[in-house]
Amino acid sequence: MKTGVRDFVGFVTLLIVAAVALTIYAGYYTVDQGERAIVLRFGEVTKISEPGFHLKFPFMDSVKNISVRSTKLKNEFAVYSKDVQGADVMVSVNYSLNPAFVTDIYTKYGTDYEARIINPQIVAKAKDAFGRHNAVETIQSRDALAKMVLDDLQEYFTDTGLVFESVQIENIDFSDEYERSVEERMKAEVEVAKVRQNLEREKINADMVRTKASADADAKVASAQAQAESIVMIGNAEATAIRTKSAAIANSPAYVSYMQAERWNGQLPSTVLPAAGVMPILDLRGE
């Protein structure tokens, strides 16, 4: 065989081997875990493949892989609050694609559905939420604002296969001048709150003092009443005793002699008046 013929045969053989290798390579594909593969035949969707190894018709079928994992998107854009304060915000959104809706998503938006439908709606819903609140409210209620954006996104994408899991307002950057005014306002509110707290404390202390004074006064009144009642009782007892003695004296002259004998110390008077008829204090004569 001539050299030219051998070279041609070798070249053809090399082409055949290359074509076979290319055909084999083009006849299979793999799908990673967390993805789905859209198999297109001349541009038409023929099936959706699960993760793993798959075969396809070489040069006829093409494959588009789409992630169904949870994905985080970040968007930075300008917004205006209800009181017309401009701010640059960064909003991050976690979402995933329901595998059952892969065909619908690809048919409507292709593989760039994030840029075509998701990101524009994130911006629109966030701007709408910020526009419903004053600037101070957006700073103080960031979590509530994020919840509002999440609710709006979930409602908008209902039954589309796009599942929105969470929204975070990562940054709100107002102008330096406005942030200084907010800081000064918040400081003033803190001072007002302190003054109110001090007034409440003083009011409570005054109430406690009045309560204690009232209790002391009630105790003094009660003590005085008890003392007065005791004096009255003693006086009544003494008056009763006096009345009893007076009645005894009036009704029994011998009671007087008994009282004199009870109080006599046993000594006779050292001096007796000469007047006639004067008798000693005690009449010791027997009858």
Side-chain angles (χ1 to χ4, degrees), residues 261-276:
E262 187 181 42
R263 297 181 180 180
W264 184 45
N265 58 7
Q267 294 181 356
L268 292 174
S270 58
T271 303
V272 178
L273 295 175

Side-chain angles (χ1 to χ4, degrees), residues 243-256:
R243 286 195 297 271
T244 302
K245 290 181 179 179
S246 298
I249 293 171
N251 296 329
S252 178
Y255 181 74
V256 177

Side-chain angles (χ1 to χ4, degrees), residues 51-126:
F53 178 85
H54 302 274
L55 297 175
K56 64 183 179 68
F57 288 103
F59 314 113
M60 296 173 57
D61 294 343
S62 61
V63 177
K64 303 287 187 180
N65 288 350
I66 292 183
S67 174
V68 293
R69 298 183 182 94
S70 179
T71 304
K72 184 173 185 177
L73 293 177
K74 284 189 177 182
N75 286 274
E76 189 171 4
F77 47 90
V79 297
Y80 283 92
S81 62
K82 185 177 180 180
D83 51 351
V84 199
Q85 293 294 332
D88 294 325
V89 300
M90 179 176 287
V91 179
S92 63
V93 176
N94 288 81
Y95 84 97
S96 61
L97 196 158
N98 187 335
F101 288 80
V102 169
T103 301
D104 292 340
I105 294 295
Y106 180 80
T107 301
K108 291 179 181 178
Y109 309 111
T111 56
D112 58 344
Y113 51 88
E114 287 184 352
R116 294 184 62 183
I117 186 65
I118 295 180
N119 286 333
Q121 286 303 316
I122 291 175
V123 174
K125 301 306 181 186

Side-chain angles (χ1 to χ4, degrees), residues 118-145:
I118 295 180
N119 286 333
Q121 286 303 316
I122 291 175
V123 174
K125 301 306 181 186
K127 286 185 175 182
D128 181 66
F130 273 87
R132 284 183 273 172
H133 295 80
N134 292 329
V136 174
E137 294 174 343
T138 63
I139 297 174
Q140 296 176 342
S141 305
R142 184 177 298 188
D143 292 341
L145 193 65

